[in-house]
Amino acid sequence: MTRPSTGGRIEVICGGMYSGKTEELIRRMRQVMIARQPCRIFTPRLDTRYSAQHVASHAGAKLEAVPVSSMREVLANADDVQVVALDELHFMQDGAAAILAGCQGLADRGLRVIVAGLDQNYRAEPFDGMMQLLAVAEQVDKLYAICVRCGAYATRSQRLIDGRPAPADAPTIVVGGLDLYEARCRSCYEPAR
Ligand code: ADP
Ligand code: ZN
């Protein structure tokens, strides 16, 4: 592809925790805003007690976002825009089929759809929803964090409980930061017990 299509497209920004996915999404959306293209950023409303009105990177960059509970809500709020961004896609609760159909539908309507999310869960398995989008996307960028153990590029997110790998039968989605997750490379990653 020598130049990106001017029609609809899906861009996936993936990688482990702290790899800079949200920073990259914010960078692309700032350009969209400078170009004055009508756009909207969505973020999954995971916890109804706290509804964040923005996406924020671990390094502090922030942009306004609309909290949503389902792909249906995204679709219902995308009629007046050309560009849609969806951060933390792995937190969308509707299941892979709805996520895939929703994003495909937006791109088929001519929208640029920018999605950021984890490509692997804490068990180092492909993340449902993300893996389907990775297959159909026009553009995929895989980012890397730095392994906290050895300094190599980290592709995995290690979930820890009291410093030990979390059990394999724990819930797939547990919201947390540096207290709960570490960036690790393949050799330093310890499998869930
Ligand atoms: P993601 O959305 O992929 O979780 P963010 O964009 O929110 O990532 O944050 C990326 C930032 O996280 C980096 O710019 C850096 O400041 C910080 N960071 C914290 N731990 C690490 C790490 N182990 N490797 C790389 N960056 C890290
Ligand atoms: Zn390592």
mmCIF file of all heavy atoms in Angstrom, residues 8 10 14 17 20 47 86 100-101 121 152 166 184 191:
data_model
loop_
_atom_site.group_PDB
_atom_site.id
_atom_site.type_symbol
_atom_site.label_atom_id
_atom_site.label_comp_id
_atom_site.label_asym_id
_atom_site.label_seq_id
_atom_site.Cartn_x
_atom_site.Cartn_y
_atom_site.Cartn_z
ATOM 1 N N GLY A 8 -13.142 4.312 4.111
ATOM 2 C CA GLY A 8 -13.137 3.743 5.450
ATOM 3 C C GLY A 8 -11.960 2.806 5.663
ATOM 4 O O GLY A 8 -11.470 2.192 4.717
ATOM 5 N N ILE A 10 -9.774 0.443 9.048
ATOM 6 C CA ILE A 10 -9.583 0.088 10.461
ATOM 7 C C ILE A 10 -8.084 0.085 10.735
ATOM 8 O O ILE A 10 -7.315 -0.556 10.018
ATOM 9 C CB ILE A 10 -10.189 -1.294 10.791
ATOM 10 C CG1 ILE A 10 -11.712 -1.283 10.552
ATOM 11 C CG2 ILE A 10 -9.877 -1.695 12.233
ATOM 12 C CD1 ILE A 10 -12.396 -2.624 10.795
ATOM 13 N N CYS A 14 -1.778 -2.138 18.831
ATOM 14 C CA CYS A 14 -1.819 -3.196 19.841
ATOM 15 C C CYS A 14 -0.467 -3.327 20.537
ATOM 16 O O CYS A 14 0.512 -2.686 20.166
ATOM 17 C CB CYS A 14 -2.256 -4.518 19.214
ATOM 18 S SG CYS A 14 -1.029 -5.220 18.105
ATOM 19 N N MET A 17 0.746 -3.981 28.111
ATOM 20 C CA MET A 17 0.524 -2.799 28.946
ATOM 21 C C MET A 17 1.775 -1.924 28.947
ATOM 22 O O MET A 17 2.894 -2.429 28.902
ATOM 23 C CB MET A 17 0.165 -3.212 30.373
ATOM 24 C CG MET A 17 -1.284 -3.677 30.452
ATOM 25 S SD MET A 17 -1.855 -3.910 32.125
ATOM 26 C CE MET A 17 -1.883 -2.239 32.757
ATOM 27 N N GLY A 20 2.482 2.084 25.122
ATOM 28 C CA GLY A 20 2.262 3.387 24.479
ATOM 29 C C GLY A 20 1.076 3.409 23.533
ATOM 30 O O GLY A 20 0.987 4.289 22.669
ATOM 31 N N ASP A 47 -16.484 0.581 34.976
ATOM 32 C CA ASP A 47 -16.979 0.716 36.337
ATOM 33 C C ASP A 47 -17.977 1.869 36.338
ATOM 34 O O ASP A 47 -17.623 3.003 36.066
ATOM 35 C CB ASP A 47 -15.794 1.043 37.255
ATOM 36 C CG ASP A 47 -16.206 0.990 38.712
ATOM 37 O OD1 ASP A 47 -17.401 1.211 38.994
ATOM 38 O OD2 ASP A 47 -15.333 0.735 39.545
ATOM 39 N N LEU A 86 -11.342 4.251 19.483
ATOM 40 C CA LEU A 86 -11.839 3.428 20.588
ATOM 41 C C LEU A 86 -10.623 2.922 21.362
ATOM 42 O O LEU A 86 -9.828 2.145 20.844
ATOM 43 C CB LEU A 86 -12.656 2.280 19.992
ATOM 44 C CG LEU A 86 -13.481 1.378 20.874
ATOM 45 C CD1 LEU A 86 -14.240 2.172 21.932
ATOM 46 C CD2 LEU A 86 -14.466 0.630 20.001
ATOM 47 N N LEU A 100 -16.391 -6.936 16.306
ATOM 48 C CA LEU A 100 -15.963 -7.053 14.906
ATOM 49 C C LEU A 100 -17.005 -6.427 13.975
ATOM 50 O O LEU A 100 -16.671 -5.597 13.121
ATOM 51 C CB LEU A 100 -15.737 -8.530 14.561
ATOM 52 C CG LEU A 100 -15.301 -8.828 13.135
ATOM 53 C CD1 LEU A 100 -13.945 -8.211 12.838
ATOM 54 C CD2 LEU A 100 -15.245 -10.344 12.899
ATOM 55 N N ALA A 101 -18.275 -6.807 14.157
ATOM 56 C CA ALA A 101 -19.334 -6.294 13.277
ATOM 57 C C ALA A 101 -19.449 -4.782 13.408
ATOM 58 O O ALA A 101 -19.629 -4.072 12.405
ATOM 59 C CB ALA A 101 -20.660 -6.965 13.613
ATOM 60 N N ASN A 121 -3.986 -11.359 26.736
ATOM 61 C CA ASN A 121 -4.441 -11.204 28.118
ATOM 62 C C ASN A 121 -3.300 -11.577 29.079
ATOM 63 O O ASN A 121 -2.184 -11.859 28.639
ATOM 64 C CB ASN A 121 -5.723 -12.020 28.368
ATOM 65 C CG ASN A 121 -5.501 -13.517 28.175
ATOM 66 O OD1 ASN A 121 -4.404 -14.030 28.368
ATOM 67 N ND2 ASN A 121 -6.552 -14.217 27.794
ATOM 68 N N ALA A 152 14.701 -5.831 27.856
ATOM 69 C CA ALA A 152 14.379 -6.144 26.454
ATOM 70 C C ALA A 152 13.003 -5.575 26.115
ATOM 71 O O ALA A 152 12.297 -5.067 26.988
ATOM 72 C CB ALA A 152 14.392 -7.660 26.246
ATOM 73 N N ALA A 166 -0.483 -14.315 38.892
ATOM 74 C CA ALA A 166 -1.885 -14.551 39.233
ATOM 75 C C ALA A 166 -2.305 -15.939 38.739
ATOM 76 O O ALA A 166 -1.740 -16.443 37.767
ATOM 77 C CB ALA A 166 -2.748 -13.478 38.585
ATOM 78 N N ARG A 184 6.638 -7.474 30.642
ATOM 79 C CA ARG A 184 7.690 -8.501 30.619
ATOM 80 C C ARG A 184 7.894 -9.018 29.194
ATOM 81 O O ARG A 184 6.969 -9.054 28.396
ATOM 82 C CB ARG A 184 7.272 -9.706 31.486
ATOM 83 C CG ARG A 184 7.015 -9.369 32.954
ATOM 84 C CD ARG A 184 8.111 -9.866 33.859
ATOM 85 N NE ARG A 184 7.737 -9.702 35.260
ATOM 86 C CZ ARG A 184 7.664 -10.714 36.129
ATOM 87 N NH1 ARG A 184 7.922 -11.960 35.751
ATOM 88 N NH2 ARG A 184 7.335 -10.467 37.389
ATOM 89 N N PRO A 191 4.338 -17.930 33.536
ATOM 90 C CA PRO A 191 2.976 -18.347 33.196
ATOM 91 C C PRO A 191 2.056 -18.297 34.414
ATOM 92 O O PRO A 191 2.510 -18.517 35.537
ATOM 93 C CB PRO A 191 3.140 -19.794 32.719
ATOM 94 C CG PRO A 191 4.575 -19.939 32.405
ATOM 95 C CD PRO A 191 5.337 -18.953 33.244
#
